[in-house]
Amino acid sequence: MELKHYARLTQQALGLIEGETDYIANLANISALLNMELDDINWVGFYLFKENELVLGPFQGKPACIRISVGKGVCGTAFATKTVQRIDDVHQFAGHIACDAESNSEIVIPFYRNGELAGVLDIDSPKFNRFSEIDEKGLVDFMKEAEKRL
C-alpha cells in the first residue's frame, strides 16, 4: 500500500470524527474504517490504558484478550517502550500473547490523548510479513492526525 492511500484514509478518518467529542465512538469508527480499507488483516482495534493495564477498547474482528499487562506481549511492549512494534512473525516474539491462533504478523502503534499516553492501535494479519515500513509510516501519521481530535 502506498503512502497516498494512508493520506486518503487519514482524511476519511478525520471526516468521520470531526465535531464528535465521544472518545469511544471515534475509536470505534476509526477501527471500522481501517478494517474496511486495509487488506489481509484479521483484527484491528484499540487497547486503552486504564488502572495500570491495557483494556480492550473498540475493535473489529474475533473476540480478543480483554486485559494486557504493560510490558507483556506485543501491545504491552509497544505501550511500555512508547515505540511502534512491527512484527513479521508473532510466533518468534518472546512473550507473544496469542488471542487468535490465525494471526501471524502484527503492528502496534502507541497513541496519545491530551498529551498523555492513552493506549495502542493494534492490527493483526494472518499473513507473515504483512506490514512494511510504508504501512508503519502511514499508520503512525494516521494516528498522529487522529489523536489531535480524540
Side-chain angles (χ1 to χ4, degrees):
M1 183 175 299
E2 297 178 26
L3 280 177
K4 67 182 179 181
H5 182 70
Y6 282 106
R8 183 181 58 78
L9 276 179
T10 300
Q11 292 309 306
Q12 284 180 277
L14 297 179
L16 283 171
I17 66 176
E18 188 66 40
E20 178 53 61
T21 58
D22 190 282
Y23 178 50
I24 299 301
N26 286 335
L27 293 179
N29 262 341
I30 289 170
S31 65
L33 175 67
L34 291 172
N35 186 62
M36 185 175 72
E37 293 290 332
L38 297 178
D39 295 329
D40 299 317
I41 64 167
N42 59 345
W43 199 93
V44 56
F46 294 92
Y47 280 93
L48 309 176
F49 186 63
K50 296 180 181 180
E51 299 175 14
N52 296 317
E53 63 186 342
L54 293 169
V55 179
L56 182 64
F59 72 93
Q60 301 282 314
K62 293 180 181 179
C65 300
I66 295 173
R67 296 179 185 275
I68 299 174
S69 298
V70 172
K72 301 292 184 192
V74 180
C75 289
T77 298
F79 188 86
T81 61
K82 298 178 179 136
T83 60
V84 173
Q85 298 292 305
R86 182 166 44 98
I87 310 300
D88 291 334
D89 180 353
V90 295
H91 310 289
Q92 302 302 313
F93 187 90
H96 173 250
I97 301 167
C99 297
D100 180 356
E102 293 177 16
S103 292
N104 289 312
S105 64
E106 183 171 9
I107 190 166
V108 180
I109 294 110
F111 73 93
Y112 294 78
R113 184 172 185 226
N114 301 322
E116 298 287 325
L117 188 59
V120 297
L121 167 63
D122 179 21
I123 306 176
D124 296 346
S125 174
K127 286 181 61 175
F128 291 99
N129 305 301
R130 160 60 181 88
F131 303 102
S132 68
E133 289 178 19
I134 291 171
D135 293 307
E136 181 175 337
K137 175 160 181 23
L139 289 165
V140 166
D141 291 347
F142 176 96
M143 283 308 299
K144 280 190 173 150
E145 288 302 312
E147 67 190 23
K148 292 175 187 175
R149 292 163 177 85
L150 293 179

